[in-house]
Amino acid sequence: MSYAYLFKYIIIGDTGVGKSCLLLQFTDKRFQPVHDLTIGVEFGARMITIDNKPIKLQIWDTAGQESFRSITRSYYRGAAGALLVYDITRRETFNHLASWLEDARQHANANMTIMLIGNKCDLAHRRAVSTEEGELFAKEHGLIFMEASAKTAQNVEEAFISTASTIYKKIQEGVFDVSNESYGIKVGYGGIPGPSGGRDGSSSQAGGCCS
Amino acid sequence: MDLVSGYKGMVGLVFGNENSGSSEDSYVERLLDRISNGALAEDRRTAVAELQSVVAESRAAQLAFGAMGFPILMGVLKEERDDVEMVRGALETLVSALTPIDHGKGPKNEVQPALMNTDLLSREAENISLLLSLLTEEDFYIRYYTLQLLTALLTNSPNRLQEAILTIPRGITRLMDMLMDREVIRNEALLLLTYLTREAEEIQKILVFEGAFEKIFSIIKEEGGSEGGVVVQDCLELLNNLLRNNASNQILLRETMGFDPLISILKLRGSTYSFTQQKTINLLSALETINLLLMGGPEAESAKDANRLLTNKTVLVQKKVLDHLLMLGVESQWAPVAVRCAALQCIGDLIAGYPKNLDALASKVLGEEPHVEPALNSILRIILRTSSVQEFIAADYVFKCFCEKNSDGQTMLASTLIPQPHLMTHAPLEEDVNMSFGSMLLRGLTLNENDGDLETCCRAASVLSYILKNNIQCKERVLRIELEAPMPSLGAPEPLMHRMVKYLALASSMKSKDGKSSPTGNLYVQPIILKLLVTWLADCPNAVHCFLDSRPHLTYLLELVSNPSATVCIRGLTAVLLGECVLYNKSSESGKDAFTIVDSISQKVGLTSYFLKFDEMQKSFLFSSAKPAQPRKALTRSNAASMAEIEDVEENDSSNQNEDHPILISTFDAQFVNLVKKLELDIRENIIEVYSQPKSKVAVVPAELEQKSGESDGDYIKRLKSFVEKQCSEIQDLLGRNANLAEDLAKTGGGSISQPEQRAGGASERVQVETLRRDLQEASQRLEMLKTEKAKIESEASMYQNLAGKMESDLQSLSDAYNSLEQANYHLEKEVKALKSGGATPSPDIDAIKAEAREEAQKESEAELNDLLVCLGQEQSKVEKLSARLLELGEDVDKLLEGIGDDMGLPEDSEDEED
């Protein structure tokens, strides 16, 4: 149960794009074709390893429906990473990305890492949004981008892990004050930031501002 | 403001009844005026302080303040953040305005100023937002009063505040931050969050997202765990609010912090012998947390939920929770009963339906070398010895859970059931430490028999019934157990089962001896032993065989099932037991087979009355109320103290004398109730089958009826004769049974047997109905008769009518003839006159002839007329006679004759003419 870091994630995006399925695939390695509508938020967790360090991911899967927006906004600020999901077979879910992003920028901390995911890429024959469009949107807004499928598990691990790597890199670069838990990052007991901080110049800088 | 003006009207109304009102009103108004318009800072501060003190003391001032004050004070909070003293004063005043003043006077339906003020303040979400922003202020008192104010708002109008806080971005984050504040603030924030999380699931989740678990456990640790004060209790209450029915939060706790911090609260350390009330409550709260992790959600949904529970159970046992629970529930001699019960219950929940945990419990040993013993033995000892009903129920629950779907565990326990030599059973109670589980249980089953106290015996019987449940091997094995007779000189050893039946009988005899004031124990002794027997005999022909081995058993059951002094439950279970003797009877021995038993039931009890026992039991409180385990009541500050002292409530609670005794309720759990319901269906079906298809004793094989070759006539006749004799006796038998059934049927017809008055009433009614029916029949018969008579008369009347008509027409023609004669006569006369006047004098002749002819004609017609008259007279007298008769028969003669009368008129007329 010990970990070097704990990252909090949120998953956001329109209703029905497959947020809960992505989480289930990531935590339980299962796919459930029929999933109940998420009410409010649901929780999932998994341990991953980055740079040989155990990292705990706490993931909050939010309800996509408009009526839950005010509740789900409460989760933005404390999250270190966000998976912004759309459905490549439904154009409107892509069109709504801008409003989701705006919400996130407004309520989350500025350093939140956002990963854009075009889900359901197994349904290529019904594609309504091209990969290039997704890439372009991500580039314009400074997001990481990936197409994935919760059904076939394609890129699911990668999406969660590469988000974590990005956050991890930001920590190494001293972007975060890791002692402040409001960034959605917690230093655990299992991994001691001290030694790595000793080796890494930027980390020791972060340590310096803590003391 | 619109709102305020409306409120003013309201206030005016209220003040109308209160004499001092108007002066307070103007005083408050003046103070508010000084606050909003005052020039000197010092003067304004004094005004706020004065306002606070008056609002804190007078309801009238609270009302007056509510009417005018909110905009002014909210303005202060918004605009004058720099003036700490003003802000403090304003907040304190608001707290006072929202705190009910209880002078214990005034009518109940009076306006509650505190509630109205809450309503006014919380109506604007903006106000809540403003208050939350104050939580970041430097000044301690500002944060403190703000929290108090929010708590007051929450107590008075929880929903509105929950909603407001949810919609304010980072609202909950601010509140959570307060948990890391100074102690006073922290404690206040804890209370606030506890209120806030009672129901709102979303708030529970956000709190957890914000790291509530970490903070809660760190406070608990700081405060000393279970040894800590009321703050620990508050923390645990908050924790329980976050976990209750919230699968997501349970997963989060398990997956991130793990259950270690929770389990470590249960760890007894230091002064393990002292349990203060606070410590008891803390431990009970932590045990409730464990319970919440083990309980299914309210809708007990889906595989997902089952999966969650399973994982929780696994992780808890991995974390050694069982050791701590056993310490609290079994080992610690100082733990209060409430804690022991809760711990035992958690053990039961932990192992229920989960093989790994069952094994873990089975292999646990307690105590220190060399005095170790299996944990299950210790729990059995609690069952046999405790003086607390609650503790017995809790320990009993552990065995119930242990044996449920655990045939290996049952077999393990049953394998140790070996009777000890006689001396051992009479060893002092304390020397059972080295006994095996089975020996202890057997001793419990037979203990105290001589004192006439069957309490221990029935508790042991309860455990034994779990061991036997659905396990044929165990049932057979325990069947073979034979006990020495109480006094070795008194005959051969008897099977354990027979001993149990003996105790069953003993319990009822004790009851009748003591009369109404029998100890509460006997209320459940018989049901528990019956439950054991019902469980034992279920699906086990050998057990049925063993049970019926002793003839008096059946007789006793037949007596008990219709014993009016036995409870509904006892009679019902006895009926089930009898039914099992039929249902699972594989015996063909005469006098013990299913057929004989059905016969005895129908003869001694009557089938209807027998089946009635099932119905009565089904309708009883215990059956209708049996439900799967309900979640326990949440432990809160208000009820914690009473929950901590459950010790022996049953002693002074008279309602427990009835069938809702806690032991009975736990005996009749949902599973047993379902078993009985299922059995009942099978029994009904089986008995009807046995009855409708009597096994014929004489096989009729046509070939055998023929004379065999080489068989002498004499032998053949002898053989046939014996065959006929056998058949004859069977027919006799069947006739007898038929008579029984008929009698039964007759009883059913007259209403239920247990209500003789109603039956009598029914019979007398029936007699009456019979009489009435007869009367009715008679009347209708008579009516029929009269109808035919009437028809006859009618036809007669019409005949006469026809006759009359004919007569009339005769008369008519006659009078026509007469008329024509007269006319002819007249003509002739005229002719004669003419002739006479013509000169010739043949007139005398003519006259003479004429007179002669006339005379002749007249004579003729007169004779005819006379005949007619006679005839008419006859007819008339006939009609008169008939109408008299008709009148007698109630026929309306005039009406009947209406049509005829008109016709009759004519002949009469002609008669008149004639006269």
Side-chain angles (χ1 to χ4, degrees):
Chain A
M1 205 57 81
S2 59
Y3 50 81
Y5 290 105
L6 182 151
F7 297 160
K8 291 186 190 178
Y9 279 13
I10 51 171
I11 311 181
I12 54 177
D14 275 9
T15 183
V17 297
K19 298 183 290 299
S20 301
C21 291
L22 281 170
L23 176 61
L24 191 70
Q25 182 59 258
F26 180 65
T27 57
D28 291 25
K29 302 202 178 357
R30 283 193 299 137
F31 177 72
Q32 213 174 345
V34 184
H35 205 285
D36 290 344
L37 268 181
T38 306
I39 306 293
V41 289
E42 293 297 331
F43 171 79
R46 214 188 108 177
M47 199 72 111
I48 57 167
T49 312
I50 288 173
D51 197 15
N52 286 324
K53 290 196 168 57
I55 291 182
K56 182 116 207 171
L57 297 185
Q58 284 189 345
I59 306 146
W60 274 269
D61 164 34
T62 67
Q65 283 170 295
E66 185 60 39
S67 51
F68 290 107
R69 282 267 191 130
S70 66
I71 290 170
T72 52
R73 276 187 198 116
S74 304
Y75 293 83
Y76 285 59
R77 187 193 70 130
L83 305 188
L84 174 54
V85 187
Y86 68 93
D87 177 351
I88 63 156
T89 69
R90 278 162 58 212
R91 183 87 202 167
E92 72 272 18
T93 66
F94 180 75
N95 295 340
H96 291 158
L97 289 177
S99 98
W100 281 108
L101 210 55
E102 191 188 328
D103 230 23
R105 300 268 192 242
Q106 191 183 338
H107 296 284
N109 70 71
N111 291 316
M112 183 164 82
T113 305
I114 302 175
M115 154 78 77
L116 180 65
I117 295 177
N119 192 25
K120 309 195 187 176
C121 72
D122 55 300
L123 301 174
H125 58 286
R126 278 163 48 193
R127 180 183 282 279
V129 184
S130 72
T131 313
E132 292 72 29
E133 281 176 287
E135 272 168 357
L136 188 68
F137 184 91
K139 205 172 162 193
E140 277 173 7
H141 294 91
L143 317 175
I144 325 167
F145 174 68
M146 232 175 240
E147 280 192 351
S149 164
K151 189 174 179 181
T152 64
Q154 185 191 343
N155 271 347
V156 172
E157 293 267 329
E158 289 80 351
F160 283 89
I161 290 172
S162 77
T163 310
S165 310
T166 312
I167 297 168
Y168 184 74
K169 210 185 290 163
K170 282 186 186 171
I171 294 172
Q172 302 294 315
E173 287 164 3
V175 175
F176 295 111
D177 168 11
V178 289
S179 69
N180 184 344
E181 285 181 19
S182 68
Y183 291 115
I185 298 166
K186 226 178 112 177
V187 182
Y189 312 100
I192 313 102
S196 82
R199 267 185 283 128
D200 199 290
S202 56
S203 254
S204 71
Q205 202 179 23
C209 72
C210 276
S211 56
Chain B
M1 245 179 163
D2 218 0
L3 204 77
V4 173
S5 67
Y7 192 69
K8 260 179 181 159
M10 181 78 194
V11 171
L13 207 76
V14 176
F15 282 175
N17 306 333
E18 214 164 325
N19 296 331
S20 62
S22 58
S23 71
E24 307 241 12
D25 204 4
S26 60
Y27 182 45
V28 169
E29 197 175 346
R30 255 183 292 128
L31 288 173
L32 285 169
D33 186 53
R34 271 166 67 192
I35 294 167
S36 56
N37 299 323
L40 293 170
E42 203 48 48
D43 180 55
R44 296 179 66 224
R45 285 178 197 146
T46 329
V48 169
E50 274 179 47
L51 183 63
Q52 190 274 323
S53 62
V54 67
V55 166
E57 274 162 20
S58 143
R59 293 161 67 95
Q62 282 188 335
L63 274 176
F65 173 79
M68 306 169 273
F70 282 114
I72 296 166
L73 288 197
M74 291 320 276
V76 169
L77 295 182
K78 210 187 280 180
E79 317 290 344
E80 303 182 53
R81 289 280 185 101
D82 298 336
D83 192 338
V84 172
E85 210 169 313
M86 273 307 278
V87 174
R88 274 188 200 168
L91 282 170
E92 207 181 346
T93 309
L94 287 169
V95 172
S96 304
L98 265 58
T99 310
I101 300 170
D102 187 23
H103 289 320
K105 56 154 198 181
K108 276 208 174 127
N109 54 1
E110 205 179 335
V111 191
Q112 291 287 333
L115 285 183
M116 292 188 83
N117 288 343
T118 305
D119 191 57
L120 281 171
L121 186 57
S122 63
R123 199 168 283 184
E124 312 269 328
E126 212 180 297
N127 289 342
I128 312 291
S129 181
L130 178 63
L131 289 176
L132 286 175
S133 74
L134 285 170
L135 289 174
T136 49
E137 283 293 321
E138 280 295 310
D139 185 70
F140 166 79
Y141 284 102
I142 292 182
R143 297 200 306 277
Y144 180 66
Y145 290 138
T146 306
L147 280 175
Q148 281 197 324
L149 188 54
L150 287 170
T151 308
L153 281 170
L154 196 55
T155 349
N156 295 344
S157 107
N159 290 338
R160 200 179 280 169
L161 200 70
Q162 281 171 3
E163 274 165 37
I165 286 182
L166 266 178
T167 51
I168 295 165
R170 302 183 56 191
I172 289 174
T173 318
R174 290 227 178 82
L175 290 176
M176 281 293 296
D177 290 343
M178 297 296 104
L179 283 184
M180 307 312 279
D181 210 312
R182 284 163 63 174
E183 202 174 297
V184 180
I185 302 261
R186 180 197 71 185
N187 297 348
E188 204 68 32
L190 257 180
L191 281 183
L192 176 61
L193 290 171
T194 306
Y195 283 128
L196 203 54
T197 48
R198 282 227 176 108
E199 259 135 40
E201 191 184 345
E202 292 314 325
I203 294 184
Q204 295 165 5
K205 286 183 181 171
I206 296 174
L207 231 62
V208 163
F209 176 80
E210 299 283 353
F213 287 143
E214 285 87 347
K215 288 181 177 125
I216 288 172
F217 284 119
S218 92
I219 295 173
I220 291 177
K221 201 170 167 195
E222 242 171 70
E223 295 287 326
S226 62
E227 305 280 341
V230 75
V231 176
V232 172
Q233 183 188 339
D234 291 340
C235 281
L236 286 167
E237 193 182 334
L238 176 58
L239 178 66
N240 290 341
N241 283 354
L242 296 176
L243 294 175
R244 189 173 294 114
N245 298 327
N246 193 326
S248 186
N249 281 355
Q250 292 187 9
I251 295 170
L252 189 133
L253 175 63
R254 191 179 70 213
E255 298 296 323
T256 49
M257 290 208 79
F259 294 148
D260 287 317
L262 169 64
I263 292 171
S264 71
I265 299 171
L266 295 174
K267 195 186 258 169
L268 292 180
R269 71 199 131 197
S271 45
T272 43
Y273 51 85
S274 117
F275 283 84
T276 58
Q277 195 193 32
Q278 186 58 57
K279 184 174 175 180
T280 303
I281 294 172
N282 291 348
L283 285 169
L284 282 176
S285 303
L287 287 169
E288 191 194 352
T289 316
I290 302 277
N291 180 255
L292 291 173
L293 294 173
L294 299 173
M295 293 295 280
E299 62 269 21
E301 37 137 359
S302 71
K304 198 173 134 198
D305 205 45
N307 200 36
R308 162 183 67 89
L309 290 180
L310 214 63
T311 321
N312 283 353
K313 285 182 181 181
T314 315
V315 174
L316 280 171
V317 169
Q318 276 168 6
K319 299 292 178 190
K320 308 267 180 243
V321 78
L322 208 47
D323 293 337
H324 302 301
L325 290 175
L326 284 169
M327 171 57 86
L328 287 171
V330 181
E331 287 182 283
S332 168
Q333 296 171 40
W334 293 279
V337 175
V339 171
R340 291 208 300 265
C341 290
L344 285 169
Q345 220 152 4
C346 281
I347 293 175
D349 291 333
L350 198 61
I351 58 173
Y354 191 47
K356 255 191 181 164
N357 294 0
L358 289 169
D359 294 345
L361 178 65
S363 54
K364 271 270 170 317
V365 287
L366 303 180
E368 281 163 25
E369 291 289 350
H371 302 292
V372 292
E373 74 168 344
L376 286 172
N377 287 23
S378 313
I379 298 175
L380 177 63
R381 187 175 301 108
I382 292 174
I383 290 181
L384 298 179
R385 287 212 210 147
T386 180
S387 59
S388 154
V389 168
Q390 304 294 337
E391 196 177 6
F392 159 64
I393 292 173
D396 188 64
Y397 180 67
V398 175
F399 276 101
K400 179 155 93 190
C401 294
F402 182 76
C403 292
E404 190 68 32
K405 294 187 184 116
N406 180 15
S407 56
D408 290 347
Q410 288 172 316
T411 312
M412 180 197 83
L413 294 181
S415 69
T416 61
L417 282 165
I418 300 159
Q420 297 291 312
H422 202 258
L423 273 176
M424 189 75 171
T425 38
H426 285 263
L429 259 179
E430 290 68 31
E431 284 179 20
D432 60 5
V433 182
N434 297 318
M435 279 177 135
S436 70
F437 177 88
S439 311
M440 238 163 103
L441 186 62
L442 278 179
R443 196 166 79 143
L445 284 169
T446 56
L447 200 68
N448 294 340
E449 163 191 346
N450 300 325
D451 316 343
D453 175 16
L454 292 169
E455 176 78 29
T456 315
C457 163
C458 94
R459 290 181 182 187
S462 175
V463 175
L464 184 59
S465 67
Y466 298 134
I467 295 174
L468 300 184
K469 189 178 168 197
N470 293 334
N471 190 326
I472 191 81
Q473 280 87 17
C474 289
K475 286 178 190 177
E476 307 257 350
R477 186 187 182 98
V478 178
L479 275 181
R480 291 195 293 271
I481 295 176
E482 299 217 322
L483 300 172
E484 288 177 49
M487 267 168 270
S489 52
L490 284 176
E494 58 178 342
L496 175 63
M497 181 190 264
H498 290 196
R499 187 71 71 85
M500 295 321 294
V501 182
K502 205 169 93 189
Y503 293 153
L504 177 67
L506 202 61
S508 67
S509 72
M510 272 159 50
K511 192 180 279 176
S512 60
K513 197 165 59 194
D514 289 12
K516 237 186 116 188
S517 63
S518 69
T520 49
N522 280 344
L523 247 166
Y524 50 80
V525 169
Q526 279 194 315
I528 288 181
I529 297 179
L530 280 168
K531 180 184 175 183
L532 169 66
L533 292 172
V534 166
T535 313
W536 204 340
L537 263 56
D539 228 353
C540 184
N542 286 342
V544 174
H545 192 266
C546 172
F547 179 80
L548 294 174
D549 254 347
S550 170
R551 274 201 166 274
H553 287 177
L554 186 62
T555 320
Y556 173 65
L557 284 193
L558 290 169
E559 226 168 73
L560 188 60
V561 79
S562 47
N563 184 348
S565 68
T567 65
V568 165
C569 228
I570 291 172
R571 288 195 305 244
L573 288 182
T574 310
V576 173
L577 200 53
L578 277 169
E580 285 183 322
C581 290
V582 177
L583 187 58
Y584 300 114
N585 196 322
K586 294 272 151 46
S587 168
S588 51
E589 234 172 291
S590 83
K592 279 175 73 175
D593 57 346
F595 198 63
T596 318
I597 291 162
V598 175
D599 250 5
S600 333
I601 294 174
S602 80
Q603 271 168 17
K604 301 264 169 59
V605 188
L607 284 185
T608 323
S609 153
Y610 170 72
F611 286 127
L612 197 69
K613 308 298 178 220
F614 290 102
D615 296 338
E616 280 170 2
M617 182 166 60
Q618 300 277 8
K619 275 183 224 135
S620 73
F621 167 78
L622 285 166
F623 268 69
S624 49
S625 66
K627 282 178 202 89
Q630 304 106 327
R632 269 181 275 169
K633 219 175 142 202
L635 212 60
T636 62
R637 261 199 184 193
S638 51
N639 67 12
S642 62
M643 299 280 260
E645 288 165 4
I646 59 165
E647 271 183 88
D648 303 329
V649 273
E650 72 276 3
E651 297 303 336
N652 42 24
D653 195 347
S654 60
S655 73
N656 286 336
Q657 296 280 339
N658 302 323
E659 54 174 22
D660 56 348
H661 190 282
I663 289 187
L664 276 182
I665 292 174
S666 91
T667 304
F668 284 79
D669 54 9
Q671 289 145 327
F672 184 62
V673 166
N674 286 338
L675 171 74
V676 168
K677 281 181 181 163
K678 196 187 124 320
L679 277 174
E680 190 206 329
L681 286 182
D682 293 348
I683 288 168
R684 275 180 194 270
E685 217 169 273
N686 196 264
I687 286 188
I688 289 168
E689 200 177 308
V690 167
Y691 226 111
S692 61
Q693 300 175 325
K695 177 179 52 153
S696 60
K697 289 173 199 139
V698 193
V700 184
V701 183
E704 283 184 5
L705 294 182
E706 301 297 323
Q707 188 166 12
K708 287 176 195 161
S709 62
E711 194 177 28
S712 72
D713 279 1
D715 284 350
Y716 178 47
I717 288 168
K718 226 186 231 167
R719 194 161 59 84
L720 283 185
K721 219 162 132 189
S722 82
F723 177 78
V724 168
E725 260 166 22
K726 268 193 252 167
Q727 269 202 324
C728 191
S729 80
E730 192 174 332
I731 288 171
Q732 218 60 49
D733 240 30
L734 288 174
L735 281 176
R737 268 148 52 83
N738 197 21
N740 270 335
L741 275 183
E743 195 183 327
D744 223 22
L745 199 69
K747 278 184 201 160
T748 331
S752 62
I753 291 108
S754 61
Q755 291 155 311
E757 306 100 272
Q758 197 193 322
R759 184 175 54 147
S764 79
E765 236 166 68
R766 219 164 38 161
V767 168
Q768 217 165 358
V769 165
E770 209 50 53
T771 324
L772 284 175
R773 189 178 298 150
R774 251 204 315 276
D775 283 356
L776 182 73
Q777 216 162 14
E778 223 165 287
S780 65
Q781 241 162 28
R782 249 190 19 216
L783 189 74
E784 209 56 40
M785 218 165 68
L786 286 177
K787 255 191 204 154
T788 54
E789 212 166 317
K790 184 185 137 202
K792 215 164 84 191
I793 292 168
E794 253 168 348
S795 75
E796 234 168 286
S798 81
M799 197 182 80
Y800 288 126
Q801 201 176 337
N802 285 347
L803 210 66
K806 218 167 99 194
M807 297 282 178
E808 192 185 330
S809 67
D810 278 1
L811 191 68
Q812 192 70 42
S813 59
L814 214 64
S815 77
D816 281 353
Y818 177 79
N819 278 351
S820 66
L821 271 177
E822 210 157 12
Q823 213 160 15
N825 196 11
Y826 176 71
H827 278 297
L828 284 173
E829 248 177 300
K830 229 166 130 185
E831 230 171 294
V832 168
K833 251 184 207 158
L835 281 174
K836 243 191 226 170
S837 64
T841 45
S843 36
D845 288 331
I846 291 171
D847 270 351
I849 292 165
K850 243 165 78 182
E852 212 177 62
R854 200 189 307 174
E855 217 168 330
E856 219 166 316
Q858 215 158 359
K859 237 187 219 158
E860 202 177 332
S861 76
E862 233 163 350
E864 237 171 301
L865 207 82
N866 268 345
D867 278 356
L868 209 68
L869 278 176
V870 168
C871 194
L872 213 93
Q874 269 173 358
E875 286 313 317
Q876 196 155 14
S877 74
K878 259 189 205 170
V879 168
E880 257 162 22
K881 243 186 183 161
L882 280 174
S883 29
R885 178 71 180 128
L886 272 175
L887 213 61
E888 209 180 287
L889 292 174
E891 203 58 50
D892 190 350
V893 182
D894 289 337
K895 221 166 132 195
L896 200 69
L897 295 181
E898 223 162 43
I900 304 167
D902 291 346
D903 295 338
M904 290 292 262
L906 267 173
E908 263 168 24
D909 280 350
S910 60
E911 223 170 38
D912 288 344
E913 231 174 56
E914 216 49 51
D915 288 315

